[in-house]
Amino acid sequence: MSIKVIDNLLTPSYHEALCNIMLGEEFDWYFLPNTTFADRGTDMSFRHMFYSDGAYTASPMAKFISPFIFHLSDAGQVPHVCLLRCKANLTFRATDQSEDMIPHVDYIHPNLSMIYYLHDCDGDTIVYNETVDDFDGNHVPETDRLTVLDRVQPKANRLIIFNGNKFHTGLLPKESSRRIVINANFNRG
């Protein structure tokens, strides 16, 4: 499966409401000192979990995000009951121009990965040709052995869908002040 890109996934009013809530002062973000489990010191981010381990979280956004999950389910042609996790990720402008997030997979078992861009920014998503099977189940590979399958620029209201067993990374923005995405994974058992 190659990368599928869907622009204008949501209606303009739903996308705008999502932005207003998630960019507002009342939205809770939780610090992660180590986003991809590769303790490198530069792999920090903020997260807001909407759905995990088969249930909506205590997030006050849970009811608002539910229709969004149905949009993702339809776009990926996968039943919404197969949802593994849905969360928002927030990263900030890199302090060092060579600094970026570490390539990784979200799950080592078969899954469909989706990334929804909340706003325009730099900080592309790179999806690699290699899968977790190419590295004996290791979810953080040797980066010098990865080859790029595709690179997608964040654009407001854009969704990308790809094989979740492929390594991927989100680059830290170099020009924009922040990069906010919603990441979801659906079981492909």
Side-chain angles (χ1 to χ4, degrees):
M1 170 186 197
S2 60
I3 295 177
K4 183 176 181 180
V5 178
I6 301 171
D7 286 329
N8 302 312
L9 176 72
L10 304 177
T11 64
S13 59
Y14 186 40
H15 174 76
E16 182 180 357
L18 197 59
C19 288
N20 288 340
I21 290 170
M22 292 181 65
L23 297 174
E25 293 178 8
E26 302 297 316
F27 191 77
D28 296 325
W29 291 101
Y30 301 92
F31 178 67
L32 287 175
N34 191 346
T35 303
T36 59
F37 309 107
D39 191 11
R40 183 173 86 166
T42 59
D43 206 25
M44 299 174 278
S45 68
F46 288 83
R47 173 179 75 189
H48 184 100
M49 190 69 67
F50 300 115
Y51 186 96
S52 182
D53 299 325
Y56 285 98
T57 65
S59 167
M61 283 283 295
K63 287 186 180 181
F64 187 77
I65 207 72
S66 182
F68 176 78
I69 290 170
F70 282 96
H71 281 281
L72 296 181
S73 174
D74 290 344
Q77 297 177 339
V78 59
H80 72 279
V81 295
C82 293
L83 181 66
L84 294 167
R85 179 179 67 186
C86 183
K87 64 188 178 92
N89 292 329
L90 164 64
T91 54
F92 292 101
R93 180 184 299 134
T95 56
D96 175 346
Q97 292 297 308
S98 65
E99 186 177 53
D100 277 311
M101 301 299 276
I102 296 171
H104 63 281
V105 294
D106 299 331
Y107 291 94
I108 60 171
H109 62 274
N111 71 97
L112 194 61
S113 188
M114 300 184 190
I115 299 173
Y116 177 78
Y117 302 102
L118 199 65
H119 61 105
D120 295 342
C121 68
D122 61 324
D124 293 0
T125 298
I126 298 176
V127 179
Y128 299 94
N129 288 299
E130 291 75 23
T131 68
V132 68
D133 296 331
D134 297 323
F135 290 90
D136 298 322
N138 186 355
H139 68 277
V140 179
E142 303 160 25
T143 56
D144 61 341
R145 291 181 48 203
L146 296 175
T147 58
V148 174
L149 170 67
D150 207 346
R151 184 178 181 134
V152 180
Q153 181 177 5
K155 179 181 174 190
N157 206 8
R158 171 178 280 172
L159 176 72
I160 64 170
I161 304 171
F162 57 94
N163 175 347
N165 282 49
K166 288 196 176 291
F167 287 100
H168 61 279
T169 190
L171 302 180
L172 294 174
K174 308 295 193 257
E175 303 295 325
S176 304
S177 62
R178 64 184 175 229
R179 177 183 189 265
I180 301 174
V181 301
I182 298 176
N183 169 234
N185 298 88
F186 287 83
N187 195 0
R188 291 178 73 181

